[in-house]
């Protein structure tokens, strides 16, 4: 099991930026895929971004491309999601997730390790 702890959420005005961090422990992450999902009130949890730890390859949902950036820090075992040009529709609880290897990474059920979530609220 990988233990995940998110931090960095908050309230920001539209157009602003936030930086979310996910600290991982319990496993060597070399063969893992790390993802960020979000869930708005009354909506399903949706994929936001992912990074393959070994290669650094990144994946994004279309609505955040060019605005959000996912990265990893090998030394700190941390995954970061930079959120820029935020919009009110980005308001959600953001979750960090991890899965062991494989190719599928867009679905919630692909992941078996989850953090507790961090709230991001964007005002208009």
């Amino acid at each position: 099991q990988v233990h995940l702890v998110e931090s960095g959420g908050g309230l920001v005005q539209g157009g602003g930026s936030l930086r979310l961090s996910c600290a991982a422990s319990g496993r060597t992450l070399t063969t893992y895929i790390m993802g960020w999902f979000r869930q708005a009130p009354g909506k399903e949890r949706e994929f936001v971004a992912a990074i393959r730890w070994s290669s650094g390859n990144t994946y994004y949902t279309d609505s955040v491309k060019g605005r959000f950036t996912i990265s990893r820090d090998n030394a700190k075992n941390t995954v970061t999601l930079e959120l820029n040009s935020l919009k009110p529709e980005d308001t959600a609880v953001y979750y960090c997730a991890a899965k062991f290897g494989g190719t599928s990474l867009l679905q919630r059920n692909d992941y078996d390790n989850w953090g507790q979530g961090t709230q991001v609220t964007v005002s208009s």
Side-chain angles (χ1 to χ4, degrees):
Q1 282 290 82
V2 179
H3 183 57
L4 304 170
V5 178
E6 302 100 331
S7 60
L11 172 64
V12 65
Q13 283 192 329
S17 299
L18 282 173
R19 188 171 186 263
L20 307 184
S21 292
C22 173
S25 60
R27 284 286 189 274
T28 301
L29 298 176
T30 307
T31 53
Y32 274 75
I33 296 171
M34 305 298 293
W36 284 95
F37 284 71
R38 65 186 179 186
Q39 188 165 16
K43 294 190 176 182
E44 295 290 320
R45 192 171 299 187
E46 64 173 359
F47 172 80
V48 176
I51 186 166
R52 196 174 292 273
W53 196 276
S54 56
S55 64
N57 288 347
T58 58
Y59 312 84
Y60 298 94
T61 192
D62 286 346
S63 63
V64 308
K65 284 180 181 177
R67 299 190 299 124
F68 292 8
T69 302
I70 188 172
S71 61
R72 58 140 168 47
D73 185 324
N74 287 321
K76 296 181 179 179
N77 246 29
T78 299
V79 175
T80 297
L81 186 67
E82 299 275 358
L83 290 68
N84 297 308
S85 302
L86 281 162
K87 305 174 182 179
E89 51 264 43
D90 294 318
T91 295
V93 177
Y94 283 69
Y95 296 90
C96 179
K99 68 182 296 284
F100 181 80
T103 55
S104 61
L105 49 78
L106 301 179
Q107 304 300 322
R108 176 180 181 175
N109 291 339
D110 292 334
Y111 296 79
D112 49 13
N113 299 275
W114 292 88
Q116 81 287 354
T118 185
Q119 177 70 47
V120 171
T121 304
V122 184
S123 63
S124 56

